[in-house]
Amino acid sequence: MTEKNVKPWVKTALEMGPVLAFFVGFIVLKDREFVVAGETYTGFIAMTALFVPLLMLSTFVLWRLTGKLSAMQIMTLVLVTVFGGLTIFLNDERFFKMKPTMIYALFAGILGFGLLRGQSYLRVVMGEMMPMDHAGWMKLTLRIALLFLALAVANELVWRNLSTETWVKFKTFGLPIVMFGFFMTQSGLLARHTIAPDDIVPDDKDAS
């Protein structure tokens, strides 16, 4: 299936919709408890049980509309399903709170591994959107790897030391704001290393 053009607001709604729905649902149900088969579940667990299939549905719709999914979207869906499932099955919200840590640490590790090999794996998934020379991709990849590592640490500090409500707000608004702010600060690097699409060459040639 070839990639299709989709209006940006539709793609954003599908990507952010489940997260915002989880936030709104948690605010409404945070003080409630639900008894199912003799087991008591908090509002957080209940919203996790709704969030997982909602993310599956939105990801499926996004795939049908665009014709493709990024590696990040696929890995996120897998980890959400695994950690969300553990949260529900074991009735333990800690697993779902650890999920962002695992995602960011995994991405940081993958990008770091590529850097050790002299390659930018980020370029593989974003090269068509941001044509840059090899040096630019290596610098941006290193910065994003460090950002992911910092976000993983930040998530651990927040969920382990602050309330569940604070963590939900941090996850819903704090992390996206940090990501947006980070990319806004990279305009100088992009300006210095952007090249014409016709000048793009593979990593191995560009690095020589």
Side-chain angles (χ1 to χ4, degrees):
M1 184 179 292
T2 58
E3 185 174 3
K4 307 170 187 177
N5 292 324
V6 177
K7 293 182 179 179
W9 71 266
V10 174
K11 186 176 181 181
T12 301
L14 289 170
E15 292 175 342
M16 295 302 299
V19 177
L20 293 176
F22 179 87
F23 173 77
V24 173
F26 170 77
I27 294 300
V28 173
L29 302 177
K30 63 181 180 179
D31 297 323
R32 296 189 58 184
E33 292 184 341
F34 303 87
V35 179
V36 180
E39 186 79 15
T40 301
Y41 297 91
T42 64
F44 183 94
I45 303 293
M47 283 312 304
T48 300
L50 293 175
F51 176 77
V52 174
L54 183 58
L55 182 65
M56 290 180 177
L57 177 61
S58 66
T59 303
F60 174 76
V61 173
L62 186 63
W63 171 69
R64 292 294 296 174
L65 291 176
T66 64
K68 66 177 297 186
L69 293 173
S70 68
M72 181 177 294
Q73 290 169 322
I74 294 172
M75 285 188 288
T76 297
L77 178 61
V78 170
L79 290 175
V80 165
T81 302
V82 171
F83 282 90
L86 288 172
T87 295
I88 300 163
F89 181 73
L90 300 175
N91 196 10
D92 189 340
E93 63 186 36
R94 292 177 297 177
F95 288 99
F96 197 69
K97 291 178 179 178
M98 285 189 290
K99 180 262 302 177
T101 301
M102 298 297 104
I103 291 176
Y104 291 131
L106 177 61
F107 290 155
I110 292 174
L111 294 180
F113 177 74
L115 289 171
L116 291 176
R117 299 186 63 201
Q119 296 178 316
S120 169
Y121 292 160
L122 190 66
R123 180 178 185 173
V124 175
V125 296
M126 299 181 65
E128 295 181 0
M129 295 183 290
M130 299 189 304
M132 290 194 298
D133 58 31
H134 179 77
W137 277 114
M138 293 297 284
K139 291 177 183 178
L140 182 61
T141 301
L142 175 60
R143 294 179 185 182
I144 291 181
L146 293 175
L147 171 67
F148 282 149
L149 185 60
L151 291 178
V153 173
N155 184 70
E156 284 295 293
L157 292 175
V158 171
W159 84 259
R160 290 181 184 274
N161 296 286
L162 301 176
S163 67
T164 295
E165 183 173 353
T166 299
W167 177 83
V168 171
K169 292 177 180 178
F170 169 75
K171 175 65 177 67
T172 305
F173 303 108
L175 292 178
I177 288 174
V178 171
M179 294 282 287
F180 177 78
F182 168 82
F183 281 103
M184 290 296 291
T185 64
Q186 302 309 304
S187 58
L189 183 148
L190 297 178
R192 291 191 299 272
H193 293 279
T194 297
I195 59 177
D198 292 341
D199 296 330
I200 297 177
V201 293
D203 264 349
D204 55 350
K205 295 181 180 179
D206 203 5
S208 62

